[in-house]
Amino acid sequence: DGILIVSNHKDGSVKIYTGEGANWTFQQEISGLTPSADGLGRSIAYNGQYIAIAAVDFSSNSPDRVYVFEKSG
């Protein structure tokens, strides 16, 4: 199975799907990690074990962040 990671940095969400070809199944949504929704998922890196999700907070002077998650199972 492949992994498809979809970012909507406008609403601050990242969705993860597994599958192949035309058959993909929703697995998880990551959201609500930043004070404002802007910018979560602006950049994403995945190496098969870890996913790194960058968050840029455009509405304040908060520093940019990177959230790292480890695949389980």
Side-chain angles (χ1 to χ4, degrees):
D1 282 352
I3 300 283
L4 175 65
I5 302 169
V6 180
S7 166
N8 183 348
H9 62 86
K10 297 287 187 186
D11 77 357
S13 69
V14 174
K15 294 179 175 77
I16 301 171
Y17 299 83
T18 58
E20 63 182 61
N23 300 311
W24 293 89
T25 303
F26 173 78
Q27 297 297 318
Q28 183 174 0
E29 179 175 339
I30 300 169
S31 62
L33 297 175
T34 58
S36 71
D38 291 351
L40 181 68
R42 190 74 157 171
S43 297
I44 297 174
Y46 177 69
N47 72 356
Q49 184 65 26
Y50 297 94
I51 180 173
I53 303 171
V56 179
D57 190 350
F58 296 109
S59 64
S60 70
N61 290 329
S62 298
D64 297 343
R65 300 171 186 92
V66 175
Y67 298 94
V68 179
F69 300 89
E70 184 175 12
K71 182 179 178 182
S72 63

